[in-house]
Structures are given as C-alpha cells and as structure tokens.
Amino acid sequence: MADHRPKENENIPQENIHTWYIRNMVCSCSLVLVRQLLQQHGVDIIEITLGKVKLSFENGKFSLSIFNQLIHPYGLAVVENRNDQLISQIKVTVVELIHEMNNVDSIVRKSDYLVEKLGLSYPYLSRLFSDHEQITLEKYIILQKIERIKHLIDSDEYSLSEIAFMMDYSSVQYLSNQFRQITGLTVSEYKKSDGSSKVPIDLI
C-alpha cells in the first residue's frame, strides 16, 4: 500500500533524504495517520508504505526525535536496529499476504512469499523472529489468519467453506478446530458474540 504519488527526488540533496522503518505500522489506518502527521508538519513525503517512510526535509526543520514524539502516542516507533527493521518488514509482509491478498499465494507457500519479498532464507527469518519476539513466526502467521477469519465471518459475505479455502485450510473442520484452539470459542459461539475477542492486527 504505497503512496502512488511520490515526489520527484532527483534534485533533492542526499543529505535531505531520510528513510525510516516504523514498528507496528502494519495496517492502512496507521499509514493514513503517519501521512497526516507528516503533512501537518510540512514534511515532504517521497514515498510512504506500510512500515516505511522516505522523507525530504532540511536538517533543523524536522528530525527523527520529533517524528518519534509524534507517532509514539499511537503505539508506533522508528526502528533503527537492522534486526528490528527486518522483523517489522516480516510483519508487514505477513499482514499483506493474509489481510490484503486474502492469502492468495497460499499459506503453504508463505515461506516462498517471504523469501521473495525480503530476499533472505526462510529459516533465517523464522529464527530471527523467534529470537526477538514472544512467539514463533508460525504462531504469528496463525494468529493473523484467525483475525482475518473473524473479519470474514463478520462480513457475512462468504460461507465457512469459502473462508477455509481462502485461508488455505484443508477442511472446515481443521479451520474450526484451530479457531477454537486460539480463541476459546467455536465459530458458532463467535458469531453469537459481540466481537470483543477481536485483536487489532498491529497488536499481535
């Protein structure tokens, strides 16, 4: 989800161009928020995508510290460490696959998708994720799938069989079992609930 109107940056001095990676910026609402905050402070946006911004400003008129102060109240933060940047990119890629593409590339081939997008081996990405997060990459993917399933159920546009196919479950039973294991609710119980079990995808 990029800003499709990037500014021309051929004539911008390199010292005025800044690229920052942002933790927890994994949904379209956070992208809109960050864009609005930057525009309110008169910062030129060269490019903005989930988890990343490329900006142009003269030193002294804006800074990393100011930006962090702006986004901190919304649970966002610039990550400067290379490993933290990569973990942020992993999360954005998983969210993109599951929530925006409806898992069209198949969760079975998630490793290929991540490798293609990030240019690193899946074992390395998986190990890095587990070393720095409280859960494994596999569990993170499952939790994102469950949240997507909740939204698809709430939309009432698809049957459970269609949702199982979209999310690449081999059967409705498999989906139902995993859904209950993660949420503590059966699909039927969830449908009758108030939806309070939903978890914002940026908090997973």
Side-chain angles (χ1 to χ4, degrees):
M1 295 191 59
D3 187 329
H4 296 293
R5 294 174 298 172
K7 291 181 174 291
E8 296 295 332
N9 61 332
E10 294 180 356
N11 300 319
I12 301 175
Q14 285 301 307
E15 63 268 21
N16 291 351
I17 297 177
H18 307 265
T19 300
W20 296 329
Y21 292 87
I22 306 172
R23 180 185 293 116
N24 296 332
M25 185 183 171
V26 297
C27 58
S28 57
C29 55
S30 60
L31 188 149
V32 172
L33 170 67
V34 170
R35 182 188 289 116
Q36 289 177 342
L37 290 172
L38 290 168
Q39 289 173 340
Q40 287 170 8
H41 284 73
V43 180
D44 288 336
I45 301 171
I46 297 174
E47 183 181 11
I48 180 168
T49 59
L50 291 179
K52 180 181 177 182
V53 293
K54 188 174 184 180
L55 312 172
S56 170
F57 59 85
E58 294 181 19
N59 291 328
K61 294 188 176 181
F62 196 67
S63 68
L64 176 61
S65 177
I66 293 173
F67 184 56
N68 260 327
Q69 290 175 18
L70 290 175
I71 63 178
H72 178 73
Y74 304 97
L76 306 175
V78 174
V79 289
E80 300 181 73
N81 177 276
R82 168 61 181 164
N83 286 340
D84 288 341
Q85 290 177 1
L86 190 51
I87 289 168
S88 179
Q89 289 177 283
I90 291 171
K91 290 182 177 182
V92 166
T93 302
V94 170
V95 168
E96 177 184 72
L97 174 61
I98 294 173
H99 293 274
E100 297 176 20
M101 300 170 63
N102 276 339
N103 203 41
V104 71
D105 279 19
S106 169
I107 209 65
V108 173
R109 298 194 298 275
K110 67 185 180 303
S111 58
D112 293 339
Y113 187 78
L114 285 165
V115 167
E116 180 182 350
K117 291 283 287 187
L118 302 177
L120 294 165
S121 74
Y122 186 77
Y124 175 81
L125 295 172
S126 181
R127 184 172 62 253
L128 178 70
F129 195 92
S130 298
D131 287 346
H132 288 78
E133 296 293 305
Q134 299 298 314
I135 58 175
T136 64
L137 179 53
E138 289 291 328
K139 183 65 176 291
Y140 178 76
I141 291 170
I142 290 171
L143 293 177
Q144 291 290 356
K145 285 177 66 178
I146 294 299
E147 288 309 308
R148 181 58 180 161
I149 289 168
K150 290 177 186 177
H151 285 275
L152 290 171
I153 291 172
D154 290 345
S155 73
D156 205 27
E157 294 181 38
Y158 308 97
S159 68
L160 200 55
S161 294
E162 290 173 321
I163 294 174
F165 176 78
M166 291 166 66
M167 291 290 102
D168 200 53
Y169 285 90
S170 57
S171 67
V172 169
Q173 186 63 42
Y174 181 24
L175 181 155
S176 299
N177 288 343
Q178 190 168 84
F179 189 91
R180 184 172 186 176
Q181 179 185 13
I182 298 297
T183 67
L185 300 170
T186 65
V187 172
S188 297
E189 288 170 339
Y190 174 77
K191 288 180 178 179
K192 296 175 183 177
S193 73
D194 59 3
S196 60
S197 67
K198 283 184 178 178
V199 179
I201 61 176
D202 58 331
L203 297 184
I204 294 176

